[in-house]
Amino acid sequence: MHAHEAGWAHAEGARGPSWLQQLTDINDLVPLLWSSTARKNDEGALEVGGVDLRDLVAEHGSPAYVLDEADFRARARAFAEAFGDYDVFYAGKAFLCTTVARWVAEEGLCLDVCSEGELTVALRAGFDPARIGHHGNNKTLAELRRSVVAGVGRIVVDSFAEIDRLVAVTAQTGRSTRVMVRVTAGVEAHTHEYIATAHEDQKFGFSITSGAALAAVRKVQETPGLELLGLHSHIGSQIFDTSGFEVAARRVLALHAQVSTELGVTLPELDLGGGFGIAYTTQDDPADPAQLATELTKIVEHECRALDVPVPKLSIEPGRAIVGPSMCTVYEVGTVKEVGLDAGAARTYVSVDGGMSDNIRTALYDADYSCTIASRRSEAPAVLGRVVGKHCEAGDIVVKDEFVPGDLSPGDLLAVPATGAYCRSMASNYNHALRPPVIAVRDGVPQVVVRRETEEDLLRTDVGA
Ligand code: LLP
């Protein structure tokens, strides 16, 4: 292993990265980053859903994920309304619990699950199985059987082995099932490599270019017990630029039309996947659902006209864009440490009582986040800060770059916005951390929807003693 002397070479200077903005008043919120009911009260404390986060932490401890129910419902509804003719599937992988599954149903959306665990939660919540779509690139025979027996509305197949398993399941159970074929459009989505899913060299879907996708369609179409609904394309996640969707739609619809001419089958449906980006910091400028609906519909209609095929029934699968901005995480500050950079500059390391176990996204995708002091007003000058966790590695960073109050001290609360998607759902027990609760807030009332883990939870699976 090569080692080099770490130090100034790692620093970006006192101003942080060039995109980082310093607010005129460090106590202010940047509304785009926060859920709709978030505000600072007269004492400078952060309130969400009418709940003062100081009270929430006093009652429920920290760290905690705070879920703004009104905001979640409004975003879900905005997608359902903007995409009126589409089926909107909320992607449960972003965050799912029984309460949220009920909200999703109440707001009229369908649900995308990608594992047996997510299916279990959905069914426990009483979610109508006919409105569930089941994803995954390696669904087992048992998973498929469970899904088919439960009456799941559509299964998105991802491999020939899976089609074979599905054939076995439908034969064994005597039940038929509705199927979509996940295809790879060969698009390089402009997002982090780990969350881009439509280029050729990755694990998902049947390649259009290689002919695998058409072969899969043919196989599903020829198999009794499998009802072919259409093609499914998901190009990646945290995408802002609709040009990726446009290229994907063009390629997927070309296949859709080819199926019509070569197999004589008009596929009734088409799913365009999810992936719509949200604002984590002031760098991000997301489109709203109405804009997305207009653009996607225009793209599909244009292609269908050019190919002379009827516009299929469309569906989308947003996860992040619904739940992401609806949640923030509140932490308590434990230590504050100033570390010298070059030319006399410094960075203030703020250690909080969580970290990469409750938000792995910074470490995994180099994601940027923001934060604000949540327990009081500060009149101190801002300093360049880095919010880090309490885990045993230097990469345990929550917020890489943000200006924080210069008088931040142990006991202060910090809140990080836009942590609703892929934070609790990817949380771990690293260092035997207890995963934080999810507390829904609405009209001044906090409601625990996922409780904090306890040491008994940790020890429950440890059968050695
Ligand atoms: N549909 C399919 C087939 C998907 O694979 C995904 C996400 C979605 C819909 C929802 O995508 P969204 O609208 O939430 O972007 N853990 C990563 C994201 C992984 C996304 C996986 N698939 C992250 O934290 O950024």
Side-chain angles (χ1 to χ4, degrees):
M1 170 149 179
H2 299 284
H4 67 278
E5 197 179 327
W8 309 141
H10 290 258
E12 277 166 321
R15 278 284 302 113
S18 55
W19 58 264
L20 187 63
Q21 288 176 17
Q22 187 170 352
L23 299 177
T24 320
D25 181 348
I26 191 93
N27 298 287
D28 283 350
L29 298 179
V30 177
L32 186 64
L33 311 183
W34 293 88
S35 65
S36 55
T37 70
R39 60 180 286 269
K40 290 283 182 83
N41 66 20
D42 293 344
E43 291 166 11
L46 181 62
E47 285 182 10
V48 186
V51 176
D52 185 324
L53 294 198
R54 295 174 302 184
D55 299 336
L56 182 138
V57 167
E59 192 179 342
H60 299 283
S62 70
Y65 300 102
V66 182
L67 170 57
D68 185 335
E69 177 176 351
D71 186 271
F72 180 95
R73 286 181 181 273
R75 286 178 205 276
R77 214 174 305 135
F79 267 99
E81 282 168 7
F83 287 87
D85 298 334
Y86 292 50
D87 280 334
V88 179
F89 286 73
Y90 168 67
K93 66 204 79 179
F95 174 72
L96 192 65
C97 64
T98 52
T99 304
V100 159
R102 283 192 203 105
W103 296 350
V104 169
E106 285 163 13
E107 297 304 334
L109 279 70
C110 302
L111 181 66
D112 149 19
V113 301
C114 68
S115 69
E116 202 169 4
E118 288 177 10
L119 181 61
T120 301
V121 172
L123 296 177
R124 168 70 68 88
F127 205 95
D128 177 3
R131 294 174 65 77
I132 296 178
H134 192 168
H135 270 285
N137 69 303
N138 185 12
K139 304 181 206 67
T140 63
L141 200 59
E143 259 180 286
L144 290 168
R145 186 177 303 118
R146 178 131 180 245
S147 203
V148 169
V149 169
V152 159
R154 65 187 209 188
I155 295 177
V156 184
V157 294
D158 193 278
S159 67
F160 289 107
E162 187 185 355
I163 299 176
D164 290 339
R165 283 178 211 149
L166 209 45
V167 172
V169 167
T170 48
Q172 274 168 13
T173 58
R175 303 175 89 127
S176 62
T177 192
R178 289 146 56 92
V179 172
M180 293 196 105
V181 173
R182 169 86 180 254
V183 302
T184 309
V187 174
E188 300 283 341
H190 293 154
T191 187
H192 192 281
E193 183 192 351
Y194 291 179
I195 53 177
T197 51
H199 50 296
E200 292 288 340
D201 188 6
Q202 49 82 40
K203 69 175 181 171
F204 292 107
F206 294 94
S207 156
I208 297 180
T209 6
S210 74
L214 184 61
V217 167
R218 199 184 292 273
K219 184 161 178 177
V220 172
Q221 169 63 19
E222 285 167 354
T223 306
L226 304 189
E227 182 191 338
L228 179 60
L229 289 183
L231 306 176
H232 185 294
S233 157
H234 170 79
I235 61 171
S237 207
Q238 185 62 357
I239 293 168
F240 293 101
D241 181 1
T242 47
S243 63
F245 290 103
E246 187 166 355
V247 178
R250 200 172 303 134
R251 295 184 184 166
V252 173
L253 280 164
L255 175 62
H256 177 95
Q258 193 184 359
V259 170
S260 167
T261 46
E262 290 188 24
L263 274 63
V265 176
T266 306
L267 297 173
E269 299 196 18
L270 175 70
D271 192 298
L272 301 170
F276 315 116
I278 64 163
Y280 287 98
T281 67
T282 51
Q283 299 168 92
D284 304 321
D285 181 21
D288 65 29
Q291 280 168 285
L292 289 170
T294 308
E295 288 189 38
L296 290 188
T297 306
K298 198 168 77 192
I299 292 167
V300 173
E301 285 177 352
H302 178 267
E303 285 308 308
C304 286
R305 233 187 341 268
L307 292 160
D308 197 22
V309 289
V311 177
K313 161 95 180 162
L314 298 167
S315 51
I316 51 162
E317 294 172 339
R320 187 191 317 265
I322 293 177
V323 73
S326 297
M327 246 193 256
C328 65
T329 309
V330 59
Y331 300 98
E332 185 175 313
V333 173
T335 72
V336 180
K337 194 189 278 182
E338 197 178 279
V339 174
L341 307 180
D342 53 352
R347 193 194 307 277
T348 299
Y349 275 80
V350 181
S351 296
V352 295
D353 50 358
M356 64 195 300
S357 54
D358 59 71
N359 185 353
I360 190 67
R361 298 194 69 262
T362 308
L364 193 55
Y365 312 120
D366 207 23
D368 289 308
Y369 280 90
S370 172
C371 66
T372 193
I373 183 166
S375 45
R376 65 180 169 90
R377 255 197 91 73
S378 168
E379 304 301 338
V383 294
L384 181 65
R386 175 162 289 172
V387 181
V388 296
K390 57 185 295 173
H391 294 283
C392 283
E393 54 184 272
D396 172 26
I397 296 171
V398 180
V399 182
K400 258 182 305 180
D401 301 286
E402 181 58 288
F403 287 100
V404 296
D407 62 352
L408 212 51
S409 312
D412 280 331
L413 300 180
L414 266 190
V416 175
T419 56
Y422 307 106
C423 287
R424 180 57 175 80
S425 69
M426 295 206 296
S428 77
N429 292 120
Y430 184 37
N431 296 149
H432 283 183
L434 303 172
R435 283 177 297 178
V438 179
I439 303 175
V441 288
R442 177 181 164 178
D443 300 333
V445 183
Q447 181 204 352
V448 177
V449 295
V450 177
R451 70 159 169 78
R452 186 182 305 284
E453 285 180 331
T454 62
E455 288 187 349
E456 290 77 67
D457 292 326
L458 274 188
L459 292 171
R460 189 162 292 150
T461 51
D462 183 337
V463 294

